[in-house]
Amino acid sequence: MKVAALIPAAGSGTRLGLGPKAFVTVAGRSLLARSVAALAPHVAEVLVALPDGHALPPDLPARAITGGATRQATVHALLRATDADVVLVHDAARPFLPARVIAALCQAAQTGGAATAALPVADTLVQAGAAGPPQWGHLVPREGLWAVQTPQAFGRELLLRAHEAAARAGQSATDDAGLVARLGHAVALVPGDARLFKVTTPGDLALAQALAPVWDAEGP
Ligand SMILES: Nc1ccn([C@@H]2O[C@H](COP(=O)(O)OP(=O)(O)OP(=O)(O)O)[C@@H](O)[C@H]2O)c(=O)n1
Ligand SMILES: C[C@](O)(CO)[C@H](O)COP(=O)(O)O
């Protein structure tokens, strides 16, 4: 059973404001390098999608393709560039990836075909009111709600079928598990980790910079 890691790293990092986010460094190592290093020991190959005109740093154990205009298009291109049986799709923007989560996802995907890291929601959730400055609209019951992370793991053929169905229907999604669920296929929710937060804003980068010394000392 060949397992490949597919790393969408072709985003422009608009919300962070520091250019292509994959190359932003935390404690001397890029977000991309951190994600590749976490995944490489667990898979047969690592495939990275980069922004057009960018090359993979020479020392990374991975090969690269050019990504698409959206994360969904990027993952679709990654799927077409590998012959693996199982794929682990992981955002380069989530640099702190525990080995425990990788192992659990691979197991869940081999058992049921589709799985995602996720965490039960721990905050009170509110839907903001209509127009104007954000105000309390109404409470969203959090019981049974999970926040979806990556990695997400799938049989490659299943995920490719989900992407092709979405492309035919002109449907978009912010992740891959949602596309598979839209086919009616079960997706296991595998307990993720608070450290698997996505570096999206300057505040997230500050958090990553504070965590990196602890993470680098204890290892994944
Ligand atoms: N066309 C795109 C857009 C996003 N991504 C990747 O998808 C992951 C999650 O996306 P996000 O955190 O939104 O990254 P950006 O799109 O770069 O951020 P922003 O939306 O702020 O521009 C990132 O690893 C990003 O590189 C990608 O490969 N191709
Ligand atoms: C895939 C993802 O990380 C799951 O939570 C998330 O949907 C990515 O969203 P983004 O806006 O592309 O960062």
Side-chain angles (χ1 to χ4, degrees):
M1 178 83 70
K2 180 178 176 181
V3 182
L6 306 184
I7 303 182
S12 52
T14 311
R15 289 169 285 183
L16 184 57
L18 296 174
K21 195 161 56 176
F23 303 107
V24 169
T25 60
V26 170
R29 296 170 68 204
S30 69
L31 300 184
L32 174 61
R34 288 176 174 275
S35 292
V36 171
L39 286 158
H42 301 269
V43 297
E45 70 168 342
V46 180
L47 191 49
V48 176
L50 294 173
D52 191 18
H54 287 76
L56 205 59
D59 57 342
L60 290 189
R63 61 189 178 93
I65 66 167
T66 299
T70 64
R71 184 185 182 283
Q72 183 173 332
T74 292
V75 175
H76 200 170
L78 285 164
L79 283 168
R80 292 194 299 262
T82 179
D83 64 355
D85 303 294
V86 172
V87 293
L88 276 167
V89 183
H90 182 61
D91 296 335
R94 296 179 188 266
F96 304 117
L97 173 50
R100 163 189 70 78
V101 177
I102 298 172
L105 278 163
C106 286
Q107 179 60 46
Q110 288 175 15
T111 305
T116 182
L119 283 179
V121 168
D123 297 314
T124 294
L125 299 177
V126 62
Q127 173 66 57
Q135 288 193 345
W136 188 284
H138 62 267
L139 190 74
V140 177
R142 70 183 182 197
E143 288 67 30
L145 292 189
W146 292 59
V148 175
Q149 300 178 322
T150 71
Q152 303 185 335
F154 311 90
R156 186 180 69 89
E157 291 295 330
L158 170 62
L159 185 55
L160 190 54
R161 193 155 36 90
H163 272 268
E164 288 167 348
R168 282 194 303 273
Q171 294 170 335
S172 64
T174 54
D175 83 323
D176 298 287
L179 293 177
V180 170
R182 215 174 275 171
L183 291 180
H185 194 288
V187 177
L189 298 179
V190 172
D193 193 295
R195 293 170 293 180
L196 257 176
F197 65 92
K198 182 159 65 75
V199 177
T200 306
T201 64
D204 299 323
L205 183 59
L207 194 57
Q209 287 162 340
L211 171 61
V214 174
W215 173 266
D216 291 346
E218 70 184 28

